[in-house]
Amino acid sequence: MQPSIVILGAGYAGLLCALQARKLLSADDASITLVNKHFYHQLITQLHESAAGARSDRSIRISLPSIINGKDITLVKGIVQTIDTKNNLVLLENNKSLAYDYLVVALGSDTEYFNIPGLKEHAYTLKSVNQARLIRTHIESCFARFPYEQRPELLRFVIGGAGFSGIELVGELADALPKYAADAGIDVSRIELYNIEAAPGILPGFDQQLVEVAQRSLESRGVKFLTGQPIVKVEDSIVHLRNGESINTETMIWTGGVRGNQLVIDAGFNTDPRGRAIINQFLQSPNTPKVYMIGDCALVIGENNRPLPPTAQLAWQMGIATGKYLYHDIKGGTKAAFIPHIVGSVASLGRKDAVGKVLKSYRMYGKMAYMAKEASNIRYLTKIGALFKNEPFSSTLSNVSQ
Amino acid sequence: MQPSIVILGAGYAGLLCALQARKLLSADDASITLVNKHFYHQLITQLHESAAGARSDRSIRISLPSIINGKDITLVKGIVQTIDTKNNLVLLENNKSLAYDYLVVALGSDTEYFNIPGLKEHAYTLKSVNQARLIRTHIESCFARFPYEQRPELLRFVIGGAGFSGIELVGELADALPKYAADAGIDVSRIELYNIEAAPGILPGFDQQLVEVAQRSLESRGVKFLTGQPIVKVEDSIVHLRNGESINTETMIWTGGVRGNQLVIDAGFNTDPRGRAIINQFLQSPNTPKVYMIGDCALVIGENNRPLPPTAQLAWQMGIATGKYLYHDIKGGTKAAFIPHIVGSVASLGRKDAVGKVLKSYRMYGKMAYMAKEASNIRYLTKIGALFKNEPFSSTLSNVSQ
């Protein structure tokens, strides 16, 4: 019988891994099983748009059966409970299990709450289409209730965390909230939008010049930044800050931390203190080389010897690389070490603005950065499309040997 | 000084009265003041569409300043507290008052809860754009929360009352709820939509044949009717029926009763047991002929000696007639008694179906009835438009003398 590849998670990393592996390996070479919580792939880099009502949920949810149709990839809808590396088994809900010869763990990240009391219980998070819908419908109901209840906390919105995800969400809300107010016949000046960050400034890792551009853009749209201000406790609707002040709000959204996946820790894999799986240069778990760990659940060290932040482009590259590694595992040949190519990053700041850097040197802001951001989204969909259509996929193998 | 006309309420009756009066009376003849809670007129016959998300709030809210612009009608935004008929004064919030020579009370109806315990506290009502938004955002949040909470009552929707408003809302929801489910990735079969009615059947006053068409149309879309089944009590999320059964729901919407306006009773006007103002054939309060009572707050007796149900077309005709009566009050001439012309009624059953009767004889259903319903809505807007534009308004006076 041919070897079985089981891939856990159909996010950017897992889906591209499955498509790349199937591109290189025929159904006779290996079976491929893709396990995912939903029957859809999620464009999670667009979730901030969905949470603010600027994009439909449907456009962010891509049917997995339609992508893998006719490709001899078995899709299993299920939630992974544990990984049994001794017996090469994945255990799903309802006592179902899947045997594997090669396992790819691409289960994404968990939220890091830094043990802040009440934060997990009282804050929304934005890691799925369903969570985005929860946030969006909650915000809309705040505006609908305000004319009856008149409580200022209904129109006070607090985003915890000024990293990439937090700032993109703040930008989107800065554009969307005034529209909701106008629709509900509420004076726009009643809206309060806070961004709270423990670090001294917003967008850590970005050039200071871009940070200032972003901050000015958002402040001009009414955003109030509270930087250098850790959250110390969250009660039902009260966010307590270290300086003793507190903010009363019906809407607290936490984007302030990510960590590896608890399932990876529970399965006994080695992780760093933030729960990210330790992997070798071929993205394998060092002691169990038949297990690949890719995407946000894994730790990748960058050129400056510091961990790379978990991003879609990194997950995407790890997925493609692992598809190729699996080909070499089964068909032979030499693997080349994984080298991430971070070509830049662009943070959107709402519907019309963005800041970004490309190839670590060229800075962008405003309309041009926004266009680049849109282009990167389109590029991803094109890439899935190319793998999906079985069209010639340029430099499929050559990249590995670079 | 010229006499002052004060009109309370800019609904169908009040707005058309103001426009008609100003059409016939110059600014030198009379001042006209229109008092309304909002700066907008509401197309309340379309609220069921807004509540179900099938129509934008903006299209139902028509700016009053834009309608009365340049017409020498003074718009006062305020909530009427009391009417002092002894001193010809209307008292508003914040101790403001308005003196009148002629008063038109067009304040609409209140909801009749029939003293059912808990109903007022726990049920939504659908009498304004703001209430429609409250219902719509609540329903959307039920679908958003369901994947997390899995409680069936989140997807169980109960409409109390199977009169005109109740059935129109049920029809709209029968079309809208499956779309919400699909959007949220929820199996449509999980939705439950109940219509509860104390009377033995739905749509009282409609021909039995049309009632059956309507019921079949709605049942084919999954609506469950519980007729002859009064609600005896409503607890937090539990609707108790007389037969001892109860329904657990997060969404109870009450459309089952209207009564006159409490303000009319409080001001000492005579009313019938349902709180509707007693009026004479010229729509005046019998003992205070300088006060007209029109629209849903007034009692109009039909040909068969029974009260006419409060409808937009009746309110509209009363508004137009009163505009003409005010002309005669101030400029002289003979008033003709008000004779309602109920040309028929069409109940929409969602996005594609409707039932109706026209001129009491010709029955309609399906697409044709739906088109007639849409046409009647357009006709109303055209009528406002004609009065608004100061264009020749056909048979403005001749109708009165019919």
Side-chain angles (χ1 to χ4, degrees):
Chain A
M1 216 171 105
Q2 82 277 50
S4 66
I5 298 169
V6 172
I7 300 168
L8 306 182
Y12 295 114
L15 177 60
L16 284 168
C17 175
L19 292 171
Q20 182 66 65
R22 183 46 88 221
K23 196 98 187 175
L24 303 175
L25 294 165
S26 73
D28 290 335
D29 293 330
S31 73
I32 299 178
T33 301
L34 184 60
V35 180
N36 198 51
K37 193 176 169 185
H38 304 288
F39 277 130
Y40 52 84
H41 170 67
Q42 306 182 53
L43 301 180
I44 63 168
T45 52
Q46 260 58 59
L47 288 178
H48 55 291
E49 300 178 28
S50 169
R55 182 191 266 267
S56 78
D57 292 356
R58 283 162 193 260
S59 71
I60 291 186
R61 226 169 35 197
I62 301 181
S63 158
L64 283 170
S66 75
I67 295 176
I68 63 170
N69 180 32
K71 301 185 85 68
D72 274 316
I73 295 173
T74 304
L75 180 64
V76 173
K77 185 178 174 221
I79 296 174
V80 178
Q81 300 295 303
T82 53
I83 300 165
D84 175 357
T85 51
K86 286 213 180 68
N87 299 299
N88 288 9
L89 280 178
V90 175
L91 301 175
L92 305 178
E93 289 174 312
N94 306 325
N95 294 319
K96 280 187 237 165
S97 67
L98 287 169
Y100 64 82
D101 294 304
Y102 297 94
L103 182 67
V104 180
V105 180
L107 287 166
S109 61
D110 287 340
T111 300
E112 174 67 73
Y113 293 103
F114 301 109
N115 292 316
I116 299 168
L119 182 58
K120 185 173 181 179
E121 292 74 16
H122 298 300
Y124 290 95
T125 51
L126 183 54
K127 292 175 79 75
S128 69
V129 175
N130 282 347
Q131 289 180 346
R133 183 185 304 106
L134 212 51
I135 292 171
R136 186 182 65 242
T137 59
H138 168 76
I139 290 174
E140 288 175 351
S141 89
C142 285
F143 281 95
R145 283 182 287 148
F146 183 76
Y148 296 96
E149 306 179 20
Q150 294 286 335
R151 293 183 293 120
E153 56 268 38
L154 284 168
L155 301 188
R156 194 176 287 129
F157 303 92
V158 177
I159 315 303
F164 207 86
S165 311
I167 290 299
E168 290 206 321
L169 179 58
V170 166
E172 212 63 52
L173 290 177
D175 284 358
L177 298 180
K179 289 179 194 157
Y180 286 129
D183 245 20
I186 296 168
D187 190 335
V188 168
S189 68
R190 304 297 295 266
I191 299 168
E192 297 171 58
L193 176 53
Y194 288 94
N195 186 213
I196 303 177
E197 168 60 48
I202 70 168
L203 285 175
F206 266 64
D207 292 353
Q208 192 53 33
Q209 191 192 334
L210 291 178
V211 167
E212 283 164 20
V213 168
Q215 187 154 345
R216 272 201 305 275
S217 165
L218 294 169
E219 283 174 343
S220 76
R221 282 177 275 158
V223 177
K224 290 169 192 144
F225 289 100
L226 297 173
T227 51
Q229 204 49 258
I231 294 168
V232 293
K233 188 169 71 167
V234 181
E235 288 178 311
D236 204 8
S237 63
I238 306 172
V239 179
H240 294 273
L241 306 179
R242 191 160 65 189
N243 65 5
E245 292 180 5
S246 63
I247 301 177
N248 199 352
T249 178
E250 292 270 316
T251 312
M252 165 76 196
I253 307 172
W254 177 245
T255 70
V258 286
R259 52 180 289 112
N261 197 300
Q262 188 59 37
L263 211 125
V264 169
I265 300 173
D266 293 346
F269 295 100
N270 284 333
T271 63
D272 79 339
R274 293 286 289 269
R276 290 171 290 197
I278 307 292
I279 50 175
N280 67 19
Q281 60 185 337
F282 305 115
L283 311 182
Q284 297 158 305
S285 178
N287 301 322
T288 46
K290 296 224 164 169
V291 178
Y292 291 91
M293 320 282 270
I294 63 175
D296 292 3
C297 69
L299 174 68
V300 180
I301 304 295
E303 284 177 5
N304 57 3
N305 244 359
R306 294 181 59 184
L308 289 178
T311 60
Q313 66 181 312
L314 183 57
W316 172 1
Q317 290 170 21
M318 293 172 93
I320 299 271
T322 304
K324 296 170 187 172
Y325 293 149
L326 288 164
Y327 166 82
H328 291 304
D329 283 334
I330 289 163
K331 304 292 278 187
T334 309
K335 295 182 191 174
F338 176 73
I339 299 168
H341 295 281
I342 303 305
V343 296
S345 56
V346 185
S348 73
L349 302 172
R351 298 286 80 204
K352 287 181 194 157
D353 203 0
V355 289
K357 53 179 179 177
V358 176
L359 292 171
K360 296 169 200 154
S361 62
Y362 182 61
R363 288 184 291 267
M364 299 186 291
Y365 54 88
K367 189 81 183 167
M368 188 172 167
Y370 183 78
M371 300 295 283
K373 180 78 183 177
E374 288 296 295
S376 77
N377 296 334
I378 290 161
R379 198 157 56 95
Y380 171 68
L381 293 176
T382 311
K383 192 117 187 176
I384 295 187
L387 288 165
F388 162 43
K389 283 182 201 149
N390 284 320
E391 280 166 6
F393 185 45
S394 64
S395 63
T396 299
L397 283 170
S398 61
N399 272 349
V400 177
S401 350
Q402 273 174 2
Chain B
M1 213 173 106
Q2 82 275 51
S4 66
I5 298 169
V6 172
I7 300 169
L8 306 182
Y12 296 114
L15 177 60
L16 283 168
C17 175
L19 292 171
Q20 181 67 65
R22 181 48 87 220
K23 195 96 185 176
L24 303 176
L25 294 164
S26 72
D28 290 334
D29 294 329
S31 73
I32 299 179
T33 302
L34 184 59
V35 180
N36 199 50
K37 194 177 170 185
H38 304 289
F39 276 130
Y40 51 83
H41 171 66
Q42 306 182 54
L43 300 180
I44 65 168
T45 53
Q46 259 59 58
L47 288 178
H48 56 290
E49 300 177 30
S50 169
R55 181 191 265 268
S56 77
D57 292 357
R58 282 161 194 260
S59 72
I60 292 185
R61 226 169 36 197
I62 302 181
S63 157
L64 283 170
S66 76
I67 296 177
I68 63 169
N69 180 32
K71 301 186 84 71
D72 275 315
I73 295 172
T74 303
L75 180 62
V76 173
K77 186 178 175 221
I79 296 176
V80 179
Q81 301 294 304
T82 52
I83 299 165
D84 175 357
T85 51
K86 286 214 179 70
N87 298 299
N88 288 10
L89 280 179
V90 174
L91 301 176
L92 305 179
E93 289 172 313
N94 306 328
N95 294 320
K96 278 185 243 167
S97 66
L98 287 169
Y100 64 80
D101 293 304
Y102 298 94
L103 181 68
V104 179
V105 180
L107 287 166
S109 60
D110 287 340
T111 299
E112 173 67 73
Y113 292 103
F114 300 111
N115 291 317
I116 300 168
L119 182 58
K120 184 174 182 179
E121 292 74 16
H122 299 299
Y124 290 95
T125 50
L126 183 53
K127 293 174 80 75
S128 69
V129 175
N130 281 347
Q131 289 180 348
R133 183 184 304 105
L134 211 52
I135 291 171
R136 185 181 67 245
T137 59
H138 169 76
I139 290 174
E140 287 175 352
S141 90
C142 286
F143 280 95
R145 284 182 286 150
F146 184 75
Y148 296 95
E149 306 179 21
Q150 293 287 333
R151 293 182 292 120
E153 56 267 37
L154 284 169
L155 302 187
R156 195 175 288 130
F157 303 90
V158 177
I159 315 304
F164 207 85
S165 311
I167 290 298
E168 290 206 321
L169 179 59
V170 166
E172 211 63 50
L173 290 176
D175 284 358
L177 298 180
K179 289 178 195 159
Y180 287 128
D183 246 19
I186 295 168
D187 190 337
V188 169
S189 69
R190 304 296 296 266
I191 298 168
E192 298 172 59
L193 176 54
Y194 287 94
N195 186 213
I196 303 177
E197 169 59 48
I202 70 168
L203 284 175
F206 265 66
D207 292 354
Q208 192 53 33
Q209 191 191 332
L210 291 178
V211 166
E212 282 163 20
V213 168
Q215 187 153 345
R216 271 200 306 276
S217 165
L218 293 169
E219 282 175 341
S220 75
R221 283 176 274 159
V223 177
K224 290 169 190 143
F225 288 101
L226 297 172
T227 49
Q229 202 51 257
I231 294 168
V232 294
K233 188 169 70 169
V234 182
E235 287 177 311
D236 203 9
S237 63
I238 305 172
V239 179
H240 294 274
L241 305 179
R242 189 158 66 189
N243 65 5
E245 291 179 7
S246 62
I247 302 177
N248 200 351
T249 179
E250 292 269 317
T251 313
M252 165 76 196
I253 307 171
W254 177 245
T255 71
V258 286
R259 51 180 289 112
N261 197 300
Q262 188 60 37
L263 210 126
V264 170
I265 300 173
D266 293 345
F269 294 101
N270 284 332
T271 63
D272 79 340
R274 293 287 286 271
R276 291 172 289 198
I278 308 290
I279 51 175
N280 67 19
Q281 60 184 337
F282 306 116
L283 311 182
Q284 295 157 304
S285 178
N287 300 324
T288 46
K290 295 223 164 168
V291 179
Y292 290 90
M293 321 281 269
I294 63 176
D296 292 2
C297 69
L299 174 68
V300 180
I301 303 296
E303 284 178 3
N304 57 4
N305 243 359
R306 295 181 57 184
L308 289 178
T311 60
Q313 65 181 312
L314 183 56
W316 174 359
Q317 290 170 22
M318 292 171 94
I320 299 272
T322 304
K324 295 170 189 172
Y325 293 148
L326 288 164
Y327 166 83
H328 289 304
D329 283 335
I330 290 163
K331 303 292 280 188
T334 311
K335 295 181 190 174
F338 177 72
I339 300 168
H341 295 281
I342 303 305
V343 297
S345 54
V346 185
S348 72
L349 302 171
R351 298 285 77 206
K352 288 180 193 160
D353 203 1
V355 290
K357 54 180 180 177
V358 175
L359 292 171
K360 296 170 201 154
S361 61
Y362 182 59
R363 288 184 291 266
M364 300 186 290
Y365 52 89
K367 190 78 183 167
M368 187 172 168
Y370 183 76
M371 300 294 284
K373 180 78 183 178
E374 288 297 295
S376 76
N377 297 333
I378 291 163
R379 197 155 58 93
Y380 171 67
L381 292 176
T382 311
K383 193 117 185 176
I384 295 185
L387 287 166
F388 162 44
K389 283 182 202 149
N390 283 319
E391 280 166 5
F393 184 44
S394 63
S395 63
T396 298
L397 282 170
S398 61
N399 273 349
V400 176
S401 351
Q402 273 175 2

